[in-house]
Amino acid sequence: LQTRMQSLQPDPKAQYRTVYEALKKIVLTEGFWRPLRGINVTMLGAGPAHAMYFACYEKMKKSLSDTIQHGGNSHLANGIAGSVATLLHDAVMNPAEVVKQRMQMFNSPYKSVLACIRTVQKTEGFGAFYRSYTTQLTMNVPFQAIHFITYEFMQEQINPRREYNPRSHIVSGAIAGAVAAAATTPLDVCKTLLNTQENTALSSVNISGHLSGMVNAFKTVYQLGGISGYFRGVQARVIYQMPSTAIAWSVYEFFKYFLTKHKLEKRT
């Protein structure tokens, strides 16, 4: 839904005013499973990407917090740790995101994930999978910094003893995801344009070939939609991120609690 709603020059058959209208229209005209197209490639990359992401975050958070604020919880350390963890995460997830978004476009020419990978590799080269990587990092570094700082701040407010408390992890994760998602929507719109290379949109502003670079993407989005163009799909983005970050944090905190408890039991 987010990819479709962020389209800057959509096909008349793929114009949506709200998230509900978009979902209803896609299901009715393109089939029940259409909104989930390309999800398999995301799931494939998500496991190793998130493992590296949380492992790196936890290690860096502890090291930096001890350096910056000995024995305390430093928001600066949380932000830096989240940003560095993002570099590893996005190296895995960026190609998966490119494939997913191309498959989710209206009238997508790709029949399967493998067909999409082969065609993109053949016609645009390996670099196409990382064309939006710098934009992804430029978006995800502030996103994750805001995300981790907000999560840790919320935990301080509603779970000051930092015990395993599923409700507090879900609420903190959802709020952190919503705040970070809303703040970084303009960068996400640019990333979607770089990933999908919308022909109609690019040709309408006399761009031939492939659009590359965040600065060019920012200019193109403004040419096509003005200031409001930067906030296309903000509602869908927030709705998508809230359950996503809530689930990620609650699962992470559960396994952290489970493994720590298991470790202590083995010692005693």
Side-chain angles (χ1 to χ4, degrees), residues 30-241:
E30 300 173 55
F32 182 77
W33 297 108
R34 191 63 178 85
L36 297 175
R37 197 158 188 250
I39 199 168
N40 50 348
V41 73
T42 307
M43 287 170 72
L44 199 67
H50 277 79
M52 290 191 293
Y53 172 68
F54 279 116
C56 176
Y57 171 69
E58 199 61 40
K59 181 72 180 165
M60 282 206 70
K61 182 179 83 165
K62 281 178 183 169
S63 304
L64 289 169
S65 282
D66 283 342
T67 308
I68 298 167
Q69 195 175 319
H70 189 68
N73 177 38
S74 164
H75 291 306
L76 177 62
N78 298 335
I80 294 168
S83 302
V84 175
T86 304
L87 298 173
L88 293 173
H89 176 272
D90 287 1
V92 176
M93 288 305 292
N94 203 84
E97 185 77 1
V98 171
V99 175
K100 186 196 81 171
Q101 289 194 321
R102 290 199 182 220
M103 290 190 73
Q104 287 177 344
M105 285 169 69
F106 183 73
N107 275 345
S108 173
Y110 311 107
K111 297 280 187 290
S112 68
V113 168
L114 277 175
C116 180
I117 293 168
R118 283 197 197 108
T119 309
V120 172
Q121 166 72 36
K122 198 175 175 182
T123 58
E124 299 174 49
F126 182 74
F129 295 108
Y130 282 94
R131 195 177 280 130
S132 66
Y133 184 56
T134 50
T135 307
Q136 180 89 331
L137 287 177
T138 311
M139 179 187 75
N140 276 355
V141 165
F143 176 92
Q144 297 302 355
I146 296 165
H147 172 206
F148 282 107
I149 289 167
T150 308
Y151 179 81
E152 299 287 357
F153 172 77
M154 287 303 300
Q155 282 291 285
E156 280 181 350
Q157 306 309 307
I158 62 178
N159 186 18
R161 292 177 69 184
R162 302 310 295 263
E163 296 170 332
Y164 174 62
N165 182 330
R167 190 180 294 173
S168 84
H169 302 316
I170 289 167
V171 171
S172 299
I175 291 169
V179 170
T184 56
T185 298
L187 292 158
D188 194 48
V189 171
C190 294
K191 184 201 77 174
T192 298
L193 182 62
L194 286 168
N195 276 350
T196 57
Q197 299 289 319
E198 275 183 79
N199 292 327
T200 321
L202 297 181
S203 58
S204 71
V205 284
N206 300 320
I207 293 173
S208 55
H210 301 300
L211 183 71
S212 62
M214 197 185 67
V215 174
N216 291 332
F218 253 93
K219 285 177 187 171
T220 309
V221 170
Y222 185 76
Q223 279 178 280
L224 290 160
I227 297 294
S228 62
Y230 292 118
F231 290 92
R232 287 185 77 95
V234 65
Q235 191 187 3
R237 182 163 158 75
V238 168
I239 291 168
Y240 165 76
Q241 285 294 348

